[in-house]
Amino acid sequence: MILDMFSLSGKVAVVTGSDTGLGQGISKAFVEAGAKVLGVSRCASTATQEMLGEENFQFVIADLSTLDPVETIINTAVEKFGRLDILVNNAGIIKREDSIDFSVENWDSVMNINCRTLFFLSQAAARQFIKQESGGKIISIASMLSYQGGIRVPSYTASKSAVKGITMTMANEWAKYGINVNAIAPGYMATNNTQALRADAERSEAILERIPAGRWGTPDDLMGTAVFLASSASDYVNGFTLAVDGGWLAR
Ligand code: NAD
């Protein structure tokens, strides 16, 4: 039956940035679809665990600005839940500064988490999928700035454009192992990440005016797309960055 294709029953997922925002929403979606989730964040994902239950959601605290935790994350998922089927690269940061003054620190910190760790965590997950001979799903959270330039966010734009690019590279190389690599490009979503923008009445109004759907997105708006890309319903979807943006890119 068609709805069975969307079930994640028996699947095990790693979701980075699971303590809040979009990663918390994706973790909730996966558990509701039947998966077990290992969350990874720089702080404890206690609220997410309380929401989803210890039997469904476990977490590790890890700093993804370096590659040090990569192997441990994959091994912990396998130790706790017996296997790995899905990786969601959601953890990410943004730094705002005029490009003319942009610092090396603001460049490196963003590229390290949003791009470097994302690639090597994907590589580690793919190696686990290949070892299991199970196939698997890798979903990265990209951005409108995978498609557009933005202003005052050069490292964020570079990182998210890279996410779209390497999503295609990884998909090309790993499709033969039954691994689907795709990305989701959220529009303007109401999370901590956009707190300052939403607090700025002028910017907020300008943004809202340009969104055909006429509202900010919420973590719940990503749930269906995330489950689709994590499930066998998307087995023939490879290397695509799918916008969930209330129509922003269509303008
Ligand atoms: P958020 O700030 O609420 O969450 C960011 C997450 O990343 C948190 O869980 C945090 O713990 C984690 N994180 C940050 N630095 C980390 C580090 N060094 N080590 C481990 N974890 C770290 O923001 P969000 O809106 O939920 O963002 C999630 C993803 O969605 C990000 O990749 C962001 O770029 C992307 N995104 C957000 C929007 C939006 O409008 N909110 C739009 C497009 C893309």
Side-chain angles (χ1 to χ4, degrees):
M1 286 307 212
I2 181 63
L3 288 183
D4 294 339
M5 293 183 82
F6 291 84
S7 170
L8 300 183
S9 182
K11 303 289 184 189
V12 176
V14 164
V15 177
T16 69
S18 53
D19 59 308
T20 182
L22 304 183
Q24 187 177 64
I26 291 168
S27 299
K28 178 169 165 255
F30 284 0
V31 168
E32 286 184 10
K36 305 288 185 199
V37 176
L38 179 75
V40 185
S41 287
R42 64 186 153 181
C43 42
S45 297
T46 317
T48 311
Q49 188 173 57
E50 274 166 15
M51 191 201 309
L52 303 177
E54 275 180 37
E55 66 285 11
N56 298 316
F57 181 90
Q58 293 280 314
F59 64 85
V60 291
I61 298 173
D63 179 3
L64 296 173
S65 61
T66 77
L67 300 180
D68 295 346
V70 164
E71 291 303 325
T72 308
I73 290 166
I74 303 299
N75 292 341
T76 306
V78 174
E79 272 160 29
K80 284 191 186 288
F81 295 123
R83 55 184 291 110
L84 181 67
D85 302 285
I86 303 155
L87 167 68
V88 178
N89 292 302
N90 162 76
I93 59 170
I94 187 165
K95 299 283 181 189
R96 299 175 195 278
E97 191 180 15
D98 289 347
S99 290
I100 202 75
D101 298 319
F102 209 78
S103 66
V104 172
E105 192 198 343
N106 279 348
W107 181 271
D108 288 344
S109 60
V110 171
M111 291 299 281
N112 281 346
I113 298 172
N114 294 14
C115 182
R116 186 170 184 260
T117 301
L118 177 145
F119 173 74
F120 286 101
L121 196 52
S122 302
Q123 182 193 62
R127 287 175 178 169
Q128 178 64 28
F129 299 153
I130 292 166
K131 192 162 101 186
Q132 291 172 182
E133 297 182 4
S134 60
K137 305 277 181 175
I138 298 174
I139 304 162
S140 297
I141 303 304
S143 165
M144 297 294 89
L145 299 190
S146 303
Y147 293 94
Q148 300 179 317
I151 296 172
R152 303 186 73 245
V153 286
S155 57
Y156 188 80
T157 303
S159 70
K160 295 299 187 178
S161 298
V163 167
K164 178 170 170 285
I166 57 176
T167 292
M168 294 187 281
T169 307
M170 294 188 285
N172 291 340
E173 292 191 41
W174 300 339
K176 63 177 179 243
Y177 301 114
I179 300 170
N180 298 79
V181 189
N182 291 290
I184 299 172
Y188 282 93
M189 316 299 279
T191 66
N192 299 336
N193 186 296
T194 53
Q195 185 82 46
L197 276 183
R198 282 176 293 122
D200 180 335
E202 209 173 296
R203 286 293 311 275
S204 179
E205 199 188 318
I207 287 166
L208 271 177
E209 214 170 82
R210 198 192 177 284
I211 302 173
R215 64 172 178 86
W216 288 73
T218 69
D220 283 3
D221 287 313
L222 286 195
M223 288 174 70
T225 309
V227 169
F228 167 61
L229 290 178
S231 71
S232 62
S234 61
D235 279 352
Y236 202 59
V237 181
N238 297 76
F240 197 68
T241 296
L242 178 53
V244 179
D245 65 349
W248 177 274
L249 284 181
R251 284 289 292 265

